[in-house]
């Protein structure tokens, strides 16, 4: 088992490398930008003015955490900050970007509403002279946004899948819950899960359902699946919100403790479920740090005309289990 898991980790690492190379069109994710770019020739400015923070719904604790962190960092650096939600509606996102432009925003921090539909909106802001710094979700084009800072979803999902396999001892039937199809993270996480899970012929996927990142939708779908087949040993979800819906459905079916459940994001409620023994693990995305990095780079760009980093940046995730859950703070881990 241990030897095979190491092979799984290697496959996930290779998948991660391919994803990053493919997405970056050959650019490094860590090197600083060349001082010879046009941006570096921009005249120095002063900190201050409005930074607009636009994310999905703040009802999701992950998005609220990143919005709060971005606002706090912007205010710390001497800016005004305004946080709004597009609720994953591209039209609403476009309206909010228009408002940011008309309000003279110095920069936009954006967790976008779709990898393709957002390209035009980012281009519109850039054409208006408002730099955009993407967090959490990439778009399917480079060279428009100043930064695209995301968690290493492939690496993190691989860690979750390895823990899931180990808990199931490499056998049994499981359900996969997948996020919104327009979100690139949904497919990246699913691919990374399967880079590990598909190595085990005795681990059988009984169902794969899209629950659109939603807790109630996940609850309903898992409830229905368990009514059809109670012989399910595991549920692996593309985010914690769906995982928590699965936890509730498993509990309602009287199967708590019999079904292994794993998620992704590192939400407070998921960590609490891990402490209670209702979930196995989650992959922590460092949402707070990513949001802070975006604001810091926006500030540097406002003041100097450069970000000090490559456009594509990937931050590793951390596996949270019962062993380290006590070190968890809000979407971060203490030393």
């Amino acid at each position: 088992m241990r030897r095979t898991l190491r092979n799984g980790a290697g496959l996930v690492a290779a998948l991660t490398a391919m994803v990053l190379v493919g997405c970056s069109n050959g650019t490094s994710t860590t090197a600083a930008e060349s001082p010879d770019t046009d941006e570096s020739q921009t005249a120095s400015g002063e900190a201050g003015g409005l930074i607009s923070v636009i994310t999905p719904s703040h009802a999701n604790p992950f998005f609220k955490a990143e919005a709060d962190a971005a606002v706090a960092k912007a205010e710390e650096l001497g800016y005004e900050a305004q946080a709004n939600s597009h609720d994953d509606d591209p039209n609403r996102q476009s309206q909010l970007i228009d408002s940011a432009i008309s309000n003279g925003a110095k920069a936009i921090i954006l967790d976008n509403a779709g990898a393709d539909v957002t390209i035009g909106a980012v281009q519109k802001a850039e054409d208006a002279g408002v730099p955009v710094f993407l967090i959490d979700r990439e778009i399917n084009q480079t060279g428009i946004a100043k930064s695209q800072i995301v968690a290493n979803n492939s690496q993190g999902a691989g860690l979750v899948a390895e823990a899931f396999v180990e808990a199931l001892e490499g056998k049994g039937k499981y359900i996969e819950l997948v996020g919104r199809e327009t979100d690139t993270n949904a497919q990246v996480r699913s691919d990374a899960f399967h880079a590990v899970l598909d190595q085990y012929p005795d681990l059988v996927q009984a169902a794969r359902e899209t629950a659109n990142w939603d807790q109630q939708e996940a609850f309903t779908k898992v409830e229905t699946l368990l009514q059809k087949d109670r012989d399910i040993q595991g549920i692996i979800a593309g985010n914690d919100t769906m995982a928590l819906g699965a936890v509730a459905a498993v509990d309602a079916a009287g199967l708590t403790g019999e079904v292994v459940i794993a998620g992704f994001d590192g939400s407070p409620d998921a960590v609490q479920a891990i402490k209670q023994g209702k979930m196995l693990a989650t992959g922590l995305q460092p949402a707070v740090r990513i949001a802070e990095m975006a604001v810091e780079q926006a500030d540097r760009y406002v003041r100097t005309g450069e970000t000090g980093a490559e456009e594509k940046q990937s931050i590793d995730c951390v596996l949270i289990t019962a062993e380290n859950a006590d070190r968890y703070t809000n979407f971060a881990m203490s030393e």
Side-chain angles (χ1 to χ4, degrees):
M1 174 66 71
R2 292 182 182 276
R3 181 177 182 181
T4 310
L5 285 176
R6 284 197 294 269
N7 290 340
L11 281 176
V12 173
L15 175 61
T16 301
M18 288 189 289
V19 169
L20 291 176
V21 170
C23 290
S24 64
N25 292 333
T27 52
S28 165
T29 61
T30 57
E33 288 186 352
S34 166
D36 295 329
T37 62
D38 290 340
E39 291 174 0
S40 67
Q41 307 303 318
T42 303
S44 296
E46 294 182 358
L50 173 67
I51 289 183
S52 179
V53 180
I54 305 171
T55 70
S57 173
H58 297 173
N60 183 314
F62 179 88
F63 301 126
K64 185 178 189 308
E66 66 180 9
D68 288 348
V71 168
K73 177 57 68 172
E75 291 176 345
E76 176 188 322
L77 295 174
Y79 296 86
E80 298 175 15
Q82 181 176 354
N84 291 287
S85 171
H86 53 58
D87 292 325
D88 284 305
D89 180 347
N91 292 326
R92 173 66 175 158
Q93 175 177 262
S94 183
Q95 292 168 0
L96 290 171
I97 289 175
D98 285 342
S99 294
I101 293 170
S102 64
N103 289 333
K106 291 292 189 71
I108 295 171
I109 309 298
L110 175 64
D111 190 337
N112 72 77
D116 291 314
V117 296
T118 301
I119 293 172
V122 173
Q123 185 67 67
K124 175 171 58 177
E126 292 285 341
D127 289 345
V130 182
V132 179
F133 300 80
L134 298 175
I135 56 174
D136 181 44
R137 303 170 177 174
E138 298 174 315
I139 57 173
N140 289 331
Q141 189 164 326
T142 58
I144 306 175
K146 295 296 181 284
S147 297
Q148 299 194 51
I149 312 173
V150 301
N152 190 338
N153 283 266
S154 186
Q155 170 262 352
L159 294 177
V160 171
E162 288 185 354
F164 187 72
V165 168
E166 189 167 352
L168 291 172
E169 298 182 343
K171 62 182 182 294
K173 293 194 290 186
Y174 73 94
I175 296 166
E176 181 186 6
L177 297 176
V178 187
R180 186 171 287 108
E181 293 180 359
T182 56
D183 187 338
T184 54
N185 287 341
Q187 191 60 51
V188 169
R189 293 174 197 173
S190 182
D191 288 346
F193 286 159
H194 285 279
V196 177
L197 302 179
D198 292 353
Q199 295 182 76
Y200 298 86
D202 293 330
L203 197 57
V204 179
Q205 182 174 274
R208 184 177 189 268
E209 292 282 350
T210 299
N212 293 304
W213 306 130
D214 184 76
Q215 185 166 338
Q216 183 58 47
E217 187 171 348
F219 172 86
T220 301
K221 291 191 172 181
V222 171
E223 182 181 48
T224 299
L225 290 168
L226 292 177
Q227 288 170 354
K228 294 179 180 178
D229 184 359
R230 291 178 64 87
D231 188 28
I232 297 294
Q233 283 79 52
I235 301 171
I236 190 166
N239 80 340
D240 284 340
T241 306
M242 296 188 297
L244 290 165
V247 167
V250 167
D251 187 55
L255 295 172
T256 298
E258 298 179 35
V259 181
V260 173
I261 302 173
F264 194 92
D265 275 344
S267 75
D269 287 344
V271 175
Q272 184 62 30
I274 290 170
K275 291 180 177 180
Q276 294 170 346
K278 296 180 178 181
M279 273 182 65
L280 170 71
T282 181
L284 169 65
Q285 292 194 88
V288 169
R289 183 60 195 135
I290 287 173
E292 291 174 343
M293 287 174 63
V295 175
E296 290 165 353
Q297 290 175 26
D299 170 59
R300 178 166 177 170
Y301 184 81
V302 168
R303 292 184 295 102
T304 71
E306 59 182 16
T307 66
E310 293 286 352
E311 177 183 336
K312 292 272 190 170
Q313 300 162 60
S314 178
I315 312 301
D316 278 350
C317 301
V318 177
L319 181 70
I320 300 179
T321 66
E323 294 181 359
N324 63 354
D326 287 339
R327 292 174 43 218
Y328 174 84
T329 58
N330 192 32
F331 289 97
M333 296 293 283
S334 62
E335 294 298 330

